[in-house]
Amino acid sequence: MYTYIDLKNATNFSELKEAADIINSGGLVLFPTETVYGLGANGLVEDAVKKIYLAKGRDFKNPINLLVDSMEMIESVAKNISPLEYALMEAFFPGPFTIILEKQEVVPDIVTAGQSLVGVRMPSGVIAKKLVEYASVPIAAPSANISGKVSGTSFKDILEDFKDKVDCAIDGGNSEIGIESTIVKVIDNVPHILRPGSITEEQILQFAPAVIKDYEDENSTNVNHANHYTPNSNCVLVYSKDNKKMVDEINKISSKYSKPCILSTHENLSFYSGNTVIDIGSKSNLNEIARNIFSCLKKADSFSPDIVIIEGVEQSGFGAAIMNRLLKACKENYVEI
């Protein structure tokens, strides 16, 4: 039986001390961050981290990032940090930004899948930040989802999968951002984006003359190309800068199926009459769409459709991260008009 902590409307976070004790005793904690929910354990204890892999069904070849609360904690798990890496951390910590650094020996090989590098992130979400502070150890914390399935952005969505696998579950309401952090690795003094997020290429370019988007390169050895974010249903992503062409193409595809489900922006809902339609948010508010996409994919699965057709967004700024997740959800099944 897990310990339940309700912090949805909290102003006092002292209850997190109990969760921190569970972390320090080798237990698993389900908790919210500003990006998505995480599944956390003491990042310095191999047996504790192993529980994360087993709970998620995660491949042991897939490394886990560490959540930290200070530069002192970063320097306890990473070494040989360059001036550019310090500058990026100063700019984007705390926040939805993960940086890959050379690890210290104190970090168990299970965290890094035997590699010499470790990802670190300083969360800005108050619950995650306080949990690390109270635990006083870096917390290994991948997203709280069964590996290969969509990430959890609400407590309700993910509790069913993990209630029998965790020692503590913290309810913090819906995630503020809804998409996992931007991951950057500095190579030869050039930031490489391994995974896009809400910290954009344009923001990173303020600190370097160039940025390389490794996530666009299917042959890159820096990016984990394992299948993530996959719904149970067959999905197709459709996008055009011309809204009418996009709507017409989606209606054309949906007409070929007996039970289609359409994930539509708010402005286009009325164009898909006669179909099951889910509102993903306003096309003028990418933050809203980001918060909604994972929960909408789960909702679409609940209708057991024979096809899920998803409206895309422009692949610039934060839109690049949204499209990255949707392309993965659709297994690269993409139609651009």
Side-chain angles (χ1 to χ4, degrees):
M1 184 66 183
Y2 63 89
T3 298
Y4 172 71
I5 300 177
D6 184 356
L7 296 177
K8 289 193 295 294
N9 301 301
T11 55
N12 183 334
F13 296 93
S14 59
E15 284 184 84
L16 286 172
K17 292 178 180 177
E18 182 177 3
D21 288 342
I22 290 171
I23 291 285
N24 283 315
S25 65
L28 282 185
V29 175
L30 178 69
F31 66 99
T33 78
E34 75 277 24
T35 56
V36 297
Y37 269 76
L39 189 65
N42 188 331
L44 302 182
V45 177
E46 180 177 346
D47 287 344
V49 177
K50 185 176 181 180
K51 293 178 182 179
I52 295 176
Y53 283 96
L54 296 177
K56 283 174 58 72
R58 185 182 180 96
D59 190 331
F60 282 95
K61 296 178 182 178
N62 192 0
I64 295 176
N65 297 324
L66 297 177
L67 297 187
V68 298
D69 70 344
S70 64
M71 188 54 65
E72 181 182 9
M73 188 176 285
I74 291 169
E75 291 172 341
S76 74
V77 297
K79 61 186 178 182
N80 300 327
I81 303 171
S82 72
L84 177 55
E85 290 166 337
Y86 273 115
L88 291 171
M89 288 189 286
E90 183 178 348
F92 302 123
F93 282 173
F97 183 79
T98 299
I99 190 164
I100 308 298
L101 302 171
E102 187 177 348
K103 83 176 184 77
Q104 297 272 19
E105 290 301 316
V106 70
V107 179
D109 284 344
I110 192 172
V111 171
T112 64
Q115 301 175 39
S116 62
L117 303 172
V118 63
V120 297
R121 182 167 98 80
M122 189 184 296
S124 60
V126 63
I127 293 173
K129 190 175 180 182
K130 286 285 186 184
L131 181 60
V132 181
E133 288 177 3
Y134 285 139
S136 298
V137 294
I139 295 179
S143 57
N145 60 301
I146 300 300
S147 287
K149 297 303 177 183
V150 294
S151 297
T153 55
S154 75
F155 186 80
K156 177 183 173 184
D157 279 347
I158 57 179
L159 183 61
E160 193 62 32
D161 286 336
F162 290 104
K163 64 183 181 181
D164 297 323
K165 301 177 180 179
V166 298
D167 302 291
C168 178
I170 302 169
D171 186 352
N174 292 340
S175 301
E176 177 186 347
I177 295 174
I179 281 183
E180 303 93 337
S181 63
T182 303
I183 299 181
V184 165
K185 179 181 178 183
V186 176
I187 303 172
D188 296 331
N189 216 39
V190 177
H192 289 236
I193 301 177
L194 312 190
R195 181 179 71 190
S198 57
I199 301 299
T200 65
E201 173 192 4
E202 292 80 6
Q203 290 173 282
I204 296 167
L205 276 170
Q206 296 176 29
F207 300 90
V211 166
I212 295 176
K213 295 183 284 187
D214 279 15
Y215 65 90
E216 292 185 340
D217 182 3
E218 286 297 315
N219 297 314
S220 173
T221 57
N222 289 316
V223 183
N224 182 352
H225 297 295
N227 235 352
H228 299 295
Y229 323 112
T230 308
N232 294 323
S233 307
N234 185 31
C235 299
V236 59
L237 177 63
V238 180
Y239 176 69
S240 174
K241 290 184 177 180
D242 184 320
N243 191 66
K244 184 179 185 304
K245 287 183 178 179
M246 179 172 68
V247 168
D248 287 348
E249 181 65 21
I250 289 173
N251 278 322
K252 178 182 174 183
I253 294 172
S254 68
S255 68
K256 299 176 182 178
Y257 293 85
S258 61
K259 197 178 178 183
C261 178
I262 298 170
L263 269 57
S264 166
T265 53
H266 183 73
E267 291 83 355
N268 290 338
L269 292 172
S270 63
F271 299 137
Y272 305 119
S273 59
N275 291 303
T276 299
V277 185
I278 297 172
D279 186 350
I280 61 173
S282 172
K283 63 175 62 184
S284 66
N285 188 342
L286 294 181
N287 290 324
E288 180 182 22
I289 292 175
R291 284 194 298 270
N292 291 339
I293 56 170
F294 288 139
S295 60
C296 285
L297 287 167
K298 285 177 177 285
K299 185 175 181 181
D301 267 345
S302 72
F303 292 107
S304 300
D306 48 10
I307 188 72
V308 176
I309 311 168
I310 309 169
E311 284 190 9
V313 299
E314 186 174 352
Q315 293 195 61
S316 62
F318 196 14
I322 293 170
M323 288 293 279
N324 173 265
R325 303 316 193 273
L326 290 176
L327 282 164
K328 289 178 182 290
C330 295
K331 299 180 180 177
E332 307 296 330
N333 189 9
Y334 178 45
V335 177
E336 185 171 5
I337 309 300

